[in-house]
Amino acid sequence: MANIVIIGAQWGDEGKGKIVDLLAEKFDIVARYQGGHNAGHTVTIDGKQFILHLIPSGILHGGRLCVIGPGVVLDPKAFFEELDMLEEAGIQVRGNLYISNRAHLILPYHRAVEKAAEEARGAKKIGTTSRGIGPAYEDKTGRRGLRVVDLFDAENLRETIFELTREKNCLIQSLYGGPPLDARQIYKEYLQYGQRLKEFVVDTAFFLNDQIRQGKRVLFEGAQGTLLDVDHGTYPYVTSSNATAGAACVGSGVAPSWITGVIGIAKAYTTRVGGGPFPTEANGTIGDEIRRRGAEYGASTGRPRRCGWFDGVATSYSAVLNNLQAIVITKLDVLDEFEQILVCTGYEYRGCQLKEFPPEIKVLEAVKPMYKSVPGWQSPTAGMQDYDGLPVRAKDYLKMLSDITRTECSFISTGPDREHTIVLPDSWTARTLYQ
Ligand code: IMP
């Protein structure tokens, strides 16, 4: 039995898509369980780049079944755009993808409310992906959301859409001064989506449990990263779902006792998109250089990502919250040319070293990272596939990250392609999956 959860150990965009794609061959099913099309998983196969937002990256491996679980919020328009893109590229999606009948839907009023609310926040804006993710989760928790299954009951769908659009229009017009939405139009659109979605919809919790009981292996594909988790992250500068490993169970309907391990993905440095504290952010030349070398622009929104050094405090917090068995360090090659590399090993606040990752945004904004400076390896690692071939200083750097996070390093990613990966043969992941 090997049912493994892959999570982002930083603020998202760690390269989960590539690692899920790489590991997918060892699993029968790949399941998404939280978030929505705010995620952006970039996978490069034979030089061709695919950016997936909603459909699990496992779909790119022929023969893998993929699941969108009930914890995901689904925008049907975004789903069909992604489906079309994949089918045009010759990827077989139909018959390989199952969508939960209990997944909540994103509607146009969610996007409209989010846009208006973000504008109204001014300098305090979260910098969301503007996909309507937060408002859709708000409706879910507020027990007024629409789920996939509701698309198949025309009368109830009409009634709910009219009622909710009226409510949202009040908010949009009176609070934010925006234009109202047309409920009739939304109803027509969503009724049609229901017809088109039907062939994908099942009770995915039942399906997954049945498959697991038959001995099939499931890879749970997390979206965003631990520091964006609504409960454990840098609240309120977070996403609206749980990006920590526990969500794999809640968001899929698979019990914790079935999960055999959690692998965290972290970049060799740190990035963040949108607002919120980022203690190791490097403004100026260093940040620009990391962004340029790492092509750090959002896969979902195209926004330049904020860049900085590896944050050992934040990533260790992640390692504990997710009880990581292993960590995968991605984009090592981005640091190839730096003369000196800094790693944050602690936070200092008002002259004292903090013992915990602070919950207060003001404290996190004010902490002084305690850096350890190490000499860079200044030789190319891009595309390397063999650990022994890595420069000694790169090996020392990786060991340092592993020591700081107290987590074994399993794989190292040295480029975007599947092949640009170093698998450490004695690591937990290799022992669990490759032997
Ligand atoms: P939302 O998820 O669109 O509500 O955005 C909330 C915050 O999470 C914003 O700072 C986004 O930039 C960030 N965010 C959401 N999805 C991702 C992702 O996949 N990668 C990185 N940041 C993300």
Side-chain angles (χ1 to χ4, degrees):
M1 177 175 96
N3 301 307
I4 287 176
V5 184
I6 299 279
I7 56 98
Q10 297 162 321
W11 274 278
D13 307 317
E14 299 91 348
K16 296 178 289 295
K18 167 179 162 165
I19 303 305
V20 168
D21 172 66
L22 185 77
L23 295 183
E25 60 165 354
K26 300 288 174 193
F27 291 83
D28 303 288
I29 301 169
V30 181
R32 281 260 332 246
Y33 53 88
Q34 46 80 222
H37 65 305
N38 48 349
H41 293 165
T42 309
V43 182
T44 309
I45 301 168
D46 298 331
K48 184 167 170 31
Q49 197 182 67
F50 293 88
I51 300 181
L52 296 167
H53 300 285
L54 194 53
I55 298 177
S57 319
I59 204 73
L60 301 171
H61 265 275
R64 295 295 164 282
L65 297 180
C66 289
V67 165
I68 295 180
V72 171
V73 284
L74 184 112
D75 183 331
K77 185 166 181 281
F79 170 74
F80 287 114
E81 279 169 13
E82 203 159 301
L83 176 68
D84 291 347
M85 180 274 289
L86 288 169
E87 289 189 331
E88 268 168 38
I91 308 288
Q92 179 66 37
V93 182
R94 283 163 215 268
N96 287 338
L97 178 69
Y98 300 90
I99 298 176
S100 169
N101 47 14
R102 289 186 171 82
H104 274 252
L105 295 166
I106 298 179
L107 285 101
Y109 46 70
H110 291 134
R111 288 189 294 270
V113 169
E114 178 171 32
K115 189 167 171 281
E118 273 283 271
E119 273 166 23
R121 285 177 76 100
K124 285 190 174 166
K125 80 172 172 196
I126 313 248
T128 70
T129 58
S130 311
R131 305 287 202 264
I133 307 291
Y137 276 116
E138 278 178 46
D139 275 358
K140 170 180 172 167
T141 319
R143 294 163 296 180
R144 56 183 170 266
L146 276 165
R147 299 178 300 165
V148 167
V149 68
D150 297 319
L151 294 170
F152 311 130
D153 178 346
E155 202 178 313
N156 178 50
L157 183 70
R158 188 175 193 285
E159 202 177 296
T160 314
I161 287 181
F162 272 68
E163 200 178 301
L164 282 168
T165 309
R166 199 178 318 117
E167 208 176 275
K168 307 292 180 193
N169 278 344
C170 278
L171 200 65
I172 293 167
Q173 287 178 286
S174 54
L175 200 59
Y176 304 121
L181 296 167
D182 179 357
R184 204 167 302 123
Q185 181 58 36
I186 301 176
Y187 167 65
K188 243 176 73 187
E189 195 183 328
Y190 275 67
L191 199 59
Q192 282 170 7
Y193 287 146
Q195 295 311 307
R196 289 183 69 196
L197 266 186
K198 226 172 207 158
E199 65 174 300
F200 298 98
V201 178
V202 299
D203 183 330
T204 55
F206 180 81
F207 170 73
L208 283 174
N209 280 293
D210 184 51
Q211 294 287 307
I212 291 173
R213 279 163 192 256
Q214 287 180 40
K216 298 282 166 55
R217 297 170 154 212
V218 183
L219 183 62
F220 294 89
E221 176 178 352
Q224 290 84 46
T226 298
L227 280 310
L228 287 173
D229 183 286
V230 67
D231 288 307
H232 304 285
T234 48
Y235 189 89
Y237 297 96
V238 291
T239 191
S240 298
S241 65
N242 288 106
T244 38
C249 295
V250 182
S252 68
V254 171
S257 43
W258 283 120
I259 306 292
T260 45
V262 183
I263 300 175
I265 319 294
K267 277 179 190 162
Y269 48 96
T270 312
T271 63
R272 155 157 226 181
V273 201
F278 179 0
T280 63
E281 182 166 18
N283 290 309
T285 351
I286 300 278
D288 290 347
E289 190 57 11
I290 296 177
R291 187 176 308 104
R292 187 187 66 77
R293 289 190 48 87
E296 294 294 354
Y297 294 88
S300 288
T301 58
R303 289 179 289 178
R305 293 180 184 139
R306 299 158 64 192
C307 299
W309 299 115
F310 188 87
D311 186 337
V313 180
T315 318
S316 300
Y317 174 60
S318 229
V320 170
L321 285 174
N322 296 292
N323 189 27
L324 299 180
Q325 258 94 354
I327 198 157
V328 173
I329 300 293
T330 61
K331 296 189 123 176
L332 181 73
D333 54 302
V334 172
L335 301 182
D336 279 354
E337 286 176 12
F338 286 92
E339 207 175 312
Q340 286 293 317
I341 298 173
L342 304 191
V343 175
C344 169
T345 55
Y347 291 161
E348 191 187 300
Y349 180 66
R350 294 189 175 162
C352 299
Q353 183 172 354
L354 295 182
K355 289 201 172 65
E356 290 163 359
F357 189 77
E360 308 91 341
I361 290 302
K362 276 190 183 154
V363 176
L364 209 45
E365 276 167 350
V367 295
K368 223 173 112 207
M370 299 160 70
Y371 285 118
K372 192 166 178 198
S373 176
V374 294
W377 43 95
Q378 294 189 283
S379 67
T381 64
M384 274 198 181
Q385 299 173 22
D386 173 27
Y387 181 77
D388 292 337
L390 282 177
V392 174
R393 283 176 176 170
K395 286 183 188 165
D396 290 345
Y397 182 69
L398 290 165
K399 177 159 186 322
M400 188 161 105
L401 303 193
S402 181
D403 289 347
I404 292 172
T405 55
R406 296 193 189 154
T407 309
E408 178 190 280
C409 180
S410 265
F411 295 175
I412 301 139
S413 172
T414 55
D417 273 326
R418 274 179 195 160
E419 294 71 33
H420 302 157
T421 312
I422 297 171
V423 179
L424 293 168
D426 294 328
S427 61
W428 177 85
T429 315
R431 286 196 311 274
T432 309
L433 299 176
Y434 290 86
Q435 284 165 12

